[in-house]
Amino acid sequence: MHFPDESDLAADAAAAAPIDFSAPEGFRSGFVSFVGRPNTGKSTLTNALVGQKIAITADQPETTRHPIRGVIHRDDSQIVVVDTPGLHRPRTLLGERLNEIVKDTYQDVDLIAVCVPADEKIGPGDRWIVDAVRKVAPKTELIGVVTKVDKVGKDKVGEQLLALHDLLEGAEVIPVSATEKIQLDVLADVIADHLPEGPKFYPDDHVTDDDRDTRMAELIREAALAGLQDELPHSVAVQIDEVAPSADREGVLDVHAIIYVEREGQKAILRGKGGRRLSRTVHNARLQIIEMLGQNVYLDIRLKVAKNWQSDPKQLGKLGF
């Protein structure tokens, strides 16, 4: 998967309708990627900084499956946040492909922010990620972000700041809470200070590069994952099958989606007793899609088995990986 660099963006901008990308003298712009173990709050932090939900969140690790770009517009800078899947030791072909996407992303950004949660001690997994980042992008500057500082006391936050500072060999470290909006402006200031001077890459109303169908599929997957445990979440994939204006309901958009799992027994879990879990998934996802699109939606979801799709190259290609 090719991650667009500055020349790609300039070419796209030139081909599109004329847009004013001018910026005042001293304006800074660039790309920052949040990295860290799965479930360290990277997606929640991305949404909080952008000011809009562009990345789904869930209690399970490895929720994010493709790089999601969100744009932070400021008077003195334009920050493009790239939320990536968590770098991890892969167990499946899907995991291997996600890791390759992440590594490609790291090579194309201006700054990498290593995230660790305040309520978990830094361990071998964090050190493995930092080492991997330094091997893949040795020239890219690093900063540290201690997330979820609202969950612990000040002493614990201080200990974690020092530990991350040492892990990153003296890099700047910032404590934040995305849910409580603590220090988000400070983090944005620090990121902007580390970006090069340059023009705007996106118009002022641009929020994310994800297309409509991808965002809808992700919202459905988020709703389906709610309350699931163990390994089933990794077996869930969503595709939008068809989107069209309703033939008999004015102003309603009909959305037909498929949730793929790897085994028949997993279908039963997602359907739930009497179909109640699936109904709840449809209800919750529909509300999120309506909020995103700003119009009424009829949502139909079917469950299908794609046997062992996480390790099947043909199935992975069909599902967009």
Side-chain angles (χ1 to χ4, degrees):
M1 179 178 291
H2 173 69
F3 185 81
D5 58 21
E6 296 179 14
S7 61
D8 294 324
L9 292 167
D12 290 344
I19 297 173
D20 182 11
F21 286 94
S22 62
E25 186 175 350
F27 193 85
R28 295 180 178 272
S29 59
F31 296 79
V32 56
S33 186
F34 293 135
V35 307
R37 286 183 286 109
N39 220 25
T40 55
K42 300 184 299 294
S43 296
T44 303
L45 183 56
T46 296
N47 291 336
L49 285 168
V50 173
Q52 188 178 129
K53 182 174 182 175
I54 61 168
I56 68 169
T57 59
D59 292 333
Q60 301 87 359
E62 299 172 38
T63 300
T64 304
R65 284 189 178 155
H66 69 281
I68 298 166
R69 291 189 292 279
V71 186
I72 304 170
H73 299 280
R74 293 157 55 93
D75 291 339
D76 61 351
S77 58
Q78 188 178 80
I79 303 168
V80 185
V81 180
V82 187
D83 183 31
T84 66
L87 194 62
H88 63 290
R89 294 182 175 90
R91 302 180 302 275
T92 63
L93 181 58
L94 171 64
E96 292 175 10
R97 291 189 177 181
L98 292 182
N99 268 0
E100 289 306 310
I101 291 171
V102 173
K103 290 175 181 177
D104 288 344
T105 301
Y106 292 170
Q107 294 173 355
D108 286 328
V109 297
D110 301 288
L111 179 68
I112 293 175
V114 178
C115 299
V116 299
D119 58 345
E120 297 177 25
K121 285 190 174 181
I122 290 175
D126 301 292
R127 286 187 279 274
W128 180 82
I129 287 170
V130 172
D131 288 343
V133 168
R134 285 188 169 132
K135 287 177 183 176
V136 174
K139 296 182 180 179
T140 305
E141 191 171 6
L142 304 183
I143 62 170
V145 181
V146 174
T147 61
K148 306 182 182 181
V149 299
D150 57 299
K151 290 191 172 186
V152 298
K154 290 182 179 179
D155 289 345
K156 287 287 186 183
V157 172
E159 290 175 9
Q160 195 75 318
L161 288 169
L162 289 173
L164 184 55
H165 182 75
D166 290 342
L167 177 63
L168 299 180
E169 299 176 353
E172 192 165 4
V173 179
I174 306 95
V176 303
S177 168
T179 56
E180 298 299 321
K181 296 182 171 30
I182 297 172
Q183 293 257 110
L184 294 182
D185 287 342
V186 173
L187 176 58
D189 287 341
V190 170
I191 291 172
D193 287 343
H194 286 272
L195 297 181
E197 291 190 10
K200 296 179 181 179
F201 291 121
Y202 295 98
D204 291 338
D205 59 351
H206 192 92
V207 176
T208 180
D209 281 357
D210 267 1
D211 60 45
R212 179 198 64 182
D213 287 7
T214 298
R215 295 184 73 184
M216 289 195 298
E218 286 290 89
L219 290 172
I220 293 168
R221 187 162 65 92
E222 180 183 52
L225 292 178
L228 293 180
Q229 296 177 349
D230 301 321
E231 292 192 7
L232 178 56
H234 306 305
S235 299
V236 175
V238 180
Q239 268 195 334
I240 301 299
D241 189 37
E242 183 181 10
V243 180
S246 175
D248 51 9
R249 287 163 294 187
E250 186 176 351
V252 176
L253 192 68
D254 288 345
V255 178
H256 300 272
I258 301 171
I259 296 179
Y260 289 97
V261 292
E262 295 187 297
R263 297 185 295 278
E264 283 291 338
Q266 294 171 340
K267 282 176 62 176
I269 294 173
L270 287 182
R271 188 178 292 110
K273 188 175 182 180
R276 287 195 288 271
R277 170 177 275 282
L278 181 58
S279 295
R280 186 165 64 248
T281 296
V282 172
H283 173 75
N284 293 340
R286 176 176 171 269
L287 293 179
Q288 293 271 5
I289 292 171
I290 287 173
E291 182 177 355
M292 184 189 85
L293 297 179
Q295 73 170 104
N296 198 5
V297 168
Y298 166 77
L299 178 60
D300 169 67
I301 297 177
R302 289 173 290 152
L303 302 176
K304 284 189 176 183
V305 173
K307 189 175 180 181
N308 298 325
W309 67 265
Q310 292 185 82
S311 297
D312 183 339
K314 185 179 291 186
Q315 296 280 16
L316 284 172
K318 178 182 176 183
L319 292 171
F321 296 105

